[in-house]
Amino acid sequence: MPTSTVENYLRRLYLELRGRADPLLPLGRLARAMGVVPGTATAMVKALADAGLVQYEPRGGVGLTARGEQLALHVVRRHRLVELFLVQVLGLDWSVVDAEAEDLEHAVSERVLERIDALLGRPKVDPHGDPIPTSRGQIEEPRRISLADCPPGRSQRIAQVLDQDAAFLSFVQRQGLAPGAIVTVVRRQNAADAVSVRVGQQAPVALGLSAAAKVLVEPASAPRHLTSPRRHSERRDSRSHTLPRKRRPFPAVS
Amino acid sequence: MPTSTVENYLRRLYLELRGRADPLLPLGRLARAMGVVPGTATAMVKALADAGLVQYEPRGGVGLTARGEQLALHVVRRHRLVELFLVQVLGLDWSVVDAEAEDLEHAVSERVLERIDALLGRPKVDPHGDPIPTSRGQIEEPRRISLADCPPGRSQRIAQVLDQDAAFLSFVQRQGLAPGAIVTVVRRQNAADAVSVRVGQQAPVALGLSAAAKVLVEPASAPRHLTSPRRHSERRDSRSHTLPRKRRPFPAVS
DNA sequence: ATTCTTATTTTGATCCATCAAAATACAGTG
DNA sequence: CACTGTATTTTGATGGATCAAAATAAGAAT
């Protein structure tokens, strides 16, 4: 029965640790990511270490223990399933579901989560293309390349977007770069720190390398089903798409 | 930004207050209902009074102010919409949704709640037949009679069940006494403190008066649409009903 | 090596929600 | 009216999560 604060620290830690070499995160990073002053993070991390959930090297940093990672993965699972649910069932916008799921992830019981998982058809990835851990806490992080270091000329499918910032996600969506989209890198302009990307028949879009690095792709020839979420609508002001007209999830009782 | 504890106290207070004459609830009642020791309730109620949410008469009891009631009604709305959602969309059992909604009601944002409300078709009542307040905090509590004081012989429709206890609800459901069911009181046996109720063609069921008082009915001739929720399945072990086979709440994007 | 800079930890305090147990008020009842 | 039993309030303490600000450690720069 970890508190929701504990769950938040563990999830954050897991997320910050992802994709960096060092298995120890400096406390300051964690504090900033959690939006607390450094001293708070120190205190919390000590408590987590006492509980055997993290490994703490004073002045060195903090990492997850096996138990901590397990717990983190369960929280991540809840978070991502809730996100996908919010998009697919309730029709919320991509760019806001991370914030919404932040609260909901702690209120969803195992029972409810199981129903959500079933309703969504045991999905493998969330709306951002991030993999959803299994109910036993296993996750498979495909190694992917980003638009920043993707060979020009080949057709690629957007698979994953690594930033949850609402403004960034809205931008990505407006450019048609959401997961599932097929794109081609036209060329890299190293001098300008940018890449040109063509999506569909539009004129190419210029993306700074730091932005491009957050958009991961896979060869367009790769099988799609396991990696890309079903897509949501792009007509963001239209309400109609969010509300299936007749929902009869149940047979009525006689 | 009231804390979820505050929301809980206000909702509980609202619930305990409704259906009793005195507009002031003794602190002990509130404490028991909240599952805390009396002193805790006293402390909390003082804080709520300072915040202008309740009216507190030391040694007299506690009531809701207008503002407190407004807040309470918004919490009740969240709670009941979530309950209905859990039953109709996720297929959870009637008897457990109250407990599940207890946590979720504090995590659901306005935005999500609006989607849920729309998805359910702006329902008027929750799975127990309790009315759902409007988004502006208005509620209409129909005055109804219970099976305990219902004239024998006339056909009645179950409209509302006033107890959230899982065991009681399971019992009610097993007897086919859930909202929407059509029943007839066969006779009252005052000596036995019981009533006999016939549902469908079954043999009559005997109900103690205290249980019967928790089951509210309306004449079977009354219009149904506003008062009875769509029913959920009674086949509790079957899973199939919970998972609509093909959910396409969205048009896929081109 | 001494000093400066920056990250981290420590210390002391606060807020919220709770409990245990002692003190107090109130309502009967003899 | 005094007495007793019950409900309520007070008091003092605790645990969790946080902040502000002072102390300290470690690296970098001179």
Side-chain angles (χ1 to χ4, degrees):
Chain A
M1 12 276 69
T3 82
S4 68
T5 305
V6 167
E7 292 191 342
N8 279 334
Y9 274 91
L10 292 178
R11 182 172 81 92
R12 201 79 257 165
L13 189 48
Y14 174 84
L15 260 22
E16 296 290 317
L17 246 20
R18 282 290 85 181
R20 83 190 333 250
D22 194 337
L24 250 36
L25 186 74
L27 272 269
R29 299 286 299 253
L30 180 58
R32 229 169 329 103
M34 289 296 297
V36 297
V37 302
T40 302
T42 302
M44 192 64 206
V45 161
K46 276 186 184 172
L48 294 176
D50 288 350
L53 295 170
V54 304
Q55 152 199 16
Y56 171 44
E57 302 291 352
R59 300 205 124 96
V62 55
L64 287 164
T65 62
R67 270 191 59 218
E69 184 175 61
Q70 265 313 292
L71 226 172
L73 284 169
H74 278 94
V75 180
V76 166
R77 171 175 166 81
R78 288 208 296 273
H79 184 90
R80 292 184 178 166
L81 276 173
V82 166
E83 282 186 338
L84 188 60
F85 172 81
L86 290 175
V87 166
Q88 293 211 341
V89 177
L90 294 185
L92 290 204
D93 195 278
W94 211 41
S95 56
V96 303
V97 294
D98 181 62
E100 294 282 355
E102 196 96 8
D103 285 339
L104 284 167
E105 74 189 10
H106 308 295
V108 172
S109 70
E110 247 344 285
R111 184 160 40 190
V112 169
L113 192 70
E114 156 58 25
R115 295 307 182 123
I116 288 177
D117 188 34
L119 179 63
L120 295 173
R122 316 281 172 199
K124 295 278 192 297
V125 295
D126 80 0
H128 312 96
D130 296 315
I132 297 172
T134 68
S135 60
R136 290 194 324 287
Q138 294 164 309
I139 193 171
E140 188 192 339
E141 297 267 14
R143 325 185 223 5
R144 295 193 168 113
I145 60 171
S146 76
L147 283 180
D149 33 39
C150 166
R154 269 204 279 279
S155 180
Q156 308 278 352
R157 176 167 41 245
I158 311 264
Q160 196 170 352
V161 178
L162 294 181
D163 189 324
Q164 302 289 342
D165 178 71
F168 181 69
L169 291 176
S170 288
F171 165 77
V172 163
Q173 184 167 39
R174 274 198 310 278
Q175 303 303 325
L177 294 173
I182 303 294
V183 303
T184 310
V185 171
V186 178
R187 66 198 149 104
R188 304 185 42 130
Q189 297 147 295
N190 282 339
D193 250 34
V195 295
S196 276
V197 180
R198 159 171 292 127
V199 36
Q201 303 311 316
Q202 320 287 324
V205 181
L207 270 185
L209 283 188
S210 68
K214 296 188 287 197
V215 180
L216 306 191
V217 298
E218 60 191 4
S221 50
R224 180 195 173 138
H225 45 97
L226 292 187
T227 54
S228 300
R230 279 184 278 172
R231 292 287 304 112
H232 54 87
S233 171
E234 276 172 341
R235 311 194 315 281
R236 294 169 59 231
D237 336 56
S238 155
R239 322 197 81 195
S240 63
H241 68 290
T242 68
L243 307 174
R245 277 303 158 234
K246 315 183 70 163
R247 296 211 67 265
R248 304 240 70 206
F250 274 122
V253 61
S254 64
Chain B
M1 18 262 75
T3 77
S4 68
T5 305
V6 167
E7 292 190 341
N8 279 334
Y9 274 91
L10 293 177
R11 182 172 81 94
R12 201 81 257 164
L13 189 48
Y14 175 85
L15 260 23
E16 296 290 318
L17 242 22
R18 98 178 194 300
R20 81 189 334 247
D22 194 338
L24 250 37
L25 186 74
L27 272 270
R29 300 286 297 255
L30 180 58
R32 228 168 329 103
M34 290 295 298
V36 297
V37 302
T40 302
T42 302
M44 193 63 206
V45 161
K46 276 185 182 172
L48 293 176
D50 288 349
L53 295 170
V54 304
Q55 153 200 15
Y56 171 44
E57 302 291 351
R59 288 178 200 272
V62 55
L64 286 164
T65 63
R67 269 191 59 218
E69 185 176 60
Q70 266 312 292
L71 226 172
L73 284 169
H74 278 93
V75 180
V76 167
R77 171 176 167 80
R78 289 208 295 272
H79 184 90
R80 292 184 177 166
L81 275 173
V82 167
E83 282 186 338
L84 188 60
F85 172 83
L86 290 175
V87 167
Q88 294 211 340
V89 177
L90 294 186
L92 290 204
D93 195 278
W94 212 39
S95 57
V96 304
V97 294
D98 181 62
E100 294 281 357
E102 196 96 8
D103 285 339
L104 284 168
E105 74 188 10
H106 309 294
V108 172
S109 70
E110 249 341 288
R111 185 159 38 192
V112 169
L113 192 69
E114 156 59 25
R115 296 307 181 123
I116 289 176
D117 188 34
L119 179 63
L120 295 174
R122 316 282 171 198
K124 295 279 193 295
V125 296
D126 81 0
H128 313 95
D130 296 315
I132 296 173
T134 68
S135 60
R136 290 194 322 287
Q138 293 164 309
I139 193 172
E140 190 190 339
E141 297 267 15
R143 327 182 220 7
R144 296 192 168 112
I145 60 172
S146 76
L147 284 179
D149 34 38
C150 166
R154 269 206 278 279
S155 179
Q156 307 278 353
R157 176 167 42 245
I158 311 268
Q160 196 170 351
V161 178
L162 294 182
D163 190 323
Q164 302 290 341
D165 178 72
F168 181 70
L169 291 177
S170 288
F171 166 77
V172 163
Q173 183 168 37
R174 273 197 310 278
Q175 303 302 325
L177 294 173
I182 304 294
V183 304
T184 310
V185 171
V186 177
R187 66 198 148 103
R188 305 185 41 131
Q189 297 148 293
N190 283 339
D193 250 34
V195 295
S196 274
V197 180
R198 159 171 293 128
V199 37
Q201 303 310 315
Q202 319 288 324
V205 181
L207 269 185
L209 282 189
S210 67
K214 296 188 287 196
V215 180
L216 306 191
V217 297
E218 61 191 3
S221 50
R224 182 197 171 138
H225 45 98
L226 293 187
T227 54
S228 299
R230 277 184 279 170
R231 292 288 302 111
H232 54 89
S233 172
E234 277 171 340
R235 312 192 316 281
R236 293 170 57 233
D237 333 56
S238 155
R239 322 197 81 196
S240 63
H241 67 291
T242 68
L243 306 176
R245 276 302 157 235
K246 315 183 69 166
R247 297 211 66 266
R248 304 241 67 206
F250 275 122
V253 61
S254 64

